[in-house]
Each structure stands twice: as C-alpha cells, then as structure tokens.
Amino acid sequence: MSETNDGPLMRLVLLIDGVMDRLATIFLWVANICLFLMLVATAGTIILRPLGMSFYWLWPWSMVVVVWMSFFGVYVIYWRRKDIAVDFVVR
C-alpha cells in the first residue's frame, strides 16, 4: 500500500504545523513585548528614583515577566530549530 501526501492524516499534520508556526510568531511578539515593558518599567524606576518616586513592587514583577518571557522564547527557539549557545574564547 503506497502513501500519498494528499491523505487526511497529512492534511491534519500540515494544518497543525501551520497553527504551531503561527503560535511561534505570536509567542515571539509576546516575548519581545515582555522584554520591552520590563526595560521601560525598570528604566522609569531608575529615572524617577532621584525625584523621590520609586516603585518597589516592580522588582518582583520583573522576575515574573522574565520567567514568562523565557517560556515564550524557548518555544519559539525550539520550533524554529534554533540553538542557544554561549561561546567563550579563552586565551
């Protein structure tokens, strides 16, 4: 029995693949928005601190945003078959 690429199972796999690819794009945007909001909030706190205004509640929320940003980002990296590497050249 020969398999064809037009069968119902292949169409389902291609549909799920397209959905997962769109989800990766959405997650990429969510991770970037999380990073942007975290940077703006932290910079705002640093700038406002000399004026006597400080938002001490930002530190715990920044950690929460980092965790969620990592979750969203790892999915994107995994789905797009990218690699996370840290290279050091020691001489």
Side-chain angles (χ1 to χ4, degrees), residues 28-79:
L28 178 65
W29 276 97
V30 170
N32 284 326
I33 289 169
C34 286
L35 177 65
F36 178 74
L37 291 175
M38 184 180 59
L39 290 174
V40 167
T42 303
T45 298
I46 291 170
I47 291 169
L48 292 175
R49 196 171 293 158
L51 302 175
M53 296 171 50
S54 184
F55 303 110
Y56 293 106
W57 50 268
L58 269 175
W59 172 251
W61 281 105
S62 291
M63 293 298 103
V64 171
V65 171
V66 165
V67 170
W68 280 103
M69 182 180 60
S70 300
F71 288 151
F72 289 125
V74 165
Y75 175 78
V76 174
I77 290 169
Y78 175 77
W79 183 255

Side-chain angles (χ1 to χ4, degrees), residues 8-25:
L9 184 60
M10 186 53 118
R11 283 194 303 257
L12 178 64
V13 168
L14 291 174
L15 176 69
I16 292 172
D17 192 48
V19 169
M20 298 295 273
D21 194 43
R22 283 188 219 108
L23 193 61
T25 302

